[in-house]
Each structure stands twice: as C-alpha cells, then as structure tokens.
Amino acid sequence: MSLYIKYFSIHLKSQMQFKSSFFFTTLGQFLVAFVTLLSINFMFARFDSVGGFTHEEVLLCFAIIMSAFSISELIARGFDQFPNLIGNGGFDRALVRPRNVIFQVLASQMDFSRLGRLLQAILVFIYVIPSSSIDWTLPRVITLALMIICGGLLFFGLQVLYAALSFFTLEGLEFMNLLTHGAQEHGRLPFSVYGDGILKFLTFIVPLALIQYYPLLFLLGREEAGIFHGIAPVMSLLFLLPCYACFKLGLKKYQSTGS
C-alpha cells in the first residue's frame, strides 16, 4: 500500500508540473459531464418522468454512475492504455520486475483530470440528496456508498478484461468501450428504460445493473425492492473473478513483441 501511495504522489506531482494544462484538462472533463447533465435537464423540461423515474431520481442515478466511472478512470488508466504497453515492449519490463504485474499496470498511469467529472457528480449529490424524497436511513446510506465503491471496482474489472483481450489481439477492442464509456453514458438513466433484454444482459452477463438499477430501487423505497436489492452491489464483485482469470490466461499466452 505504501508503494502505491508513492506512485500516487509521483503521478500527482508530475501532472501538477503544468498547472495550466492540468486545470484546463480537468475543466474539459467537467464540461463533458455537464453536457450530459444538460441533456437530462432538457429531457425533463418536456417529460415529467422517464420509465417511471422522476427528475431527481434520474439525477441521483447519474451522480452514482459518474462517481463510480470517474474513480475507475482515475486509478485504472494504465489498463486503458495497456495495448500501447504491449505494442512498445514496455510490458516486458514489467514481467522482470519483482512486483505483481497487475499492480504495476495499475500504478503505471493515473489521470487526475478525471476529478473534473467526479466534482460534477459531487455537485449533483449536493443538490439531489436534500431535494429528493428519500428517507436516508443508515441502510440506504450504506447502499449508496456500496453503489459508488463497488461500481468503481466493477468498471475497474472491465478495464482489466479489456487489457486481457489485448493479449490476443495486440490492439484494444473498441467494442469494450460499449461496456465502459457506453455504460457510463447510458447509465445516466436507470437501465430498465432500455428494455428487458438489456436489463437481463446487464444483470447476468455484465452486472452493471447490480450497482445501478436494483440498489436504486432500494434507495427509492420501491415496493418490489428488498434488502437483497440493497446489497446487490456486493454481489457484482463476483464479476472480478472471470476478469482476473482472463488476464491470467492472457498472461500465460503472452509472447514478447521483441521491441
């Protein structure tokens, strides 16, 4: 843990060497998230509800997904750039170092400009939590925290899976962006609005609904929601096991590029 903190400090100091660049990049990330927020507000200027969810409920959903995705992007940027690491031979250096390979990739890059999106989510939380009609009991507060933390870990798992596939293709597969950036984009609305087929896929195949839709029902006190909906984010962490297994399999099949 102490080594990771050192890496964290090094990356932060290096990015802060060019303060103006860092500020404008972070501002750009903030504005990107703000455009998505505006689209939600424009939609509810015309409709009272979407899929049975009100404006405040959708904003809560937006803030949760944005928080989880931003945290993952901040700490797991190395896996997003993993195909480049293989292509330029940099991954060979990681293999000869006396540290866990996943840790080295994780610590190789951190993108603090993603704090712009995280700030956007925090501001939405500040607005929506007092204005919502949710009774914030201790179980609901815990569920909200689990949605963000487990959501960040789930997006991290998807980044690991993306990196694992790069062992076999040498280039990143763009369809994986449908499950990362696409999920973040479409996750601004509860996944149920996209139909039963999509909801089942995001429940049993890639369990994004376990960190968004089902615990959201518990937060909102919907009649169909029980305590199992509240702990659904924890169940989503089982998805990390096949992601790790795929990475280990790719690692066994890896052959140096010779760069």
Side-chain angles (χ1 to χ4, degrees):
M1 187 64 184
S2 60
L3 181 59
Y4 181 80
I5 293 175
K6 288 182 180 180
Y7 271 107
F8 189 93
S9 176
I10 291 170
H11 284 297
L12 180 60
K13 289 178 181 178
S14 65
Q15 292 180 37
M16 290 301 293
Q17 290 298 311
F18 304 95
K19 293 181 175 59
S20 296
S21 175
F22 175 78
F23 171 77
F24 284 111
T25 305
T26 303
L27 178 62
Q29 293 291 333
F30 181 91
L31 293 177
V32 167
F34 187 69
V35 170
T36 304
L37 182 61
L38 283 179
S39 69
I40 294 174
N41 291 332
F42 288 148
M43 180 170 56
F44 278 95
R46 183 174 180 85
F47 304 102
D48 293 330
S49 65
V50 175
F53 294 90
T54 65
H55 187 196
E56 287 76 13
E57 292 169 351
V58 169
L59 287 179
L60 180 61
C61 187
F62 163 84
I64 291 167
I65 287 291
M66 185 63 70
S67 298
F69 183 75
S70 301
I71 293 171
S72 174
E73 281 277 280
L74 191 156
I75 66 174
R77 193 64 175 169
F79 287 98
D80 190 47
Q81 300 298 316
F82 190 74
N84 296 332
L85 192 64
I86 290 181
N88 61 25
F91 186 65
D92 293 352
R93 294 195 298 270
L95 292 175
V96 299
R97 292 169 181 161
R99 290 289 177 179
N100 182 274
V101 173
I102 291 181
F103 171 81
Q104 291 187 62
V105 178
L106 178 66
S108 64
Q109 290 193 42
M110 299 178 192
D111 191 351
F112 291 95
S113 68
R114 265 41 184 187
L115 291 172
R117 297 192 183 200
L118 185 59
L119 176 61
Q120 180 81 223
I122 292 172
L123 292 176
V124 174
F125 274 129
I126 292 174
Y127 164 76
V128 76
I129 288 178
S131 62
S132 67
S133 58
I134 298 174
D135 180 16
W136 289 103
T137 60
L138 181 59
R140 287 195 173 95
V141 172
I142 294 174
T143 295
L144 178 61
L146 288 176
M147 292 171 76
I148 297 172
I149 296 171
C150 295
L153 291 172
L154 183 57
F155 278 115
F156 167 70
L158 288 170
Q159 295 283 16
V160 172
L161 182 59
Y162 171 78
L165 295 176
S166 301
F167 282 119
F168 304 97
T169 63
L170 296 183
E171 294 290 338
L173 297 178
E174 290 301 320
F175 83 88
M176 284 296 298
N177 287 329
L178 294 174
L179 302 176
T180 53
H181 294 83
Q184 174 261 325
E185 180 68 23
H186 292 92
R188 69 185 188 273
L189 298 175
F191 288 128
S192 61
V193 305
Y194 302 110
D196 290 339
I198 297 296
L199 182 60
K200 289 179 180 178
F201 176 82
L202 296 178
T203 300
F204 301 107
I205 307 300
V206 181
L208 288 163
L210 297 184
I211 59 97
Q212 191 241 43
Y213 174 66
Y214 297 107
L216 181 66
L217 295 180
F218 178 75
L219 291 182
L220 300 179
R222 298 294 173 92
E223 293 181 359
E224 64 270 30
I227 189 62
F228 291 106
H229 289 72
I231 63 173
V234 178
M235 298 169 60
S236 72
L237 299 183
L238 292 174
F239 182 72
L240 298 180
L241 297 177
C243 294
Y244 177 75
C246 287
F247 189 87
K248 295 294 288 186
L249 177 62
L251 191 58
K252 290 181 179 180
K253 300 292 183 180
Y254 173 71
Q255 295 181 349
S256 174
T257 59
S259 302

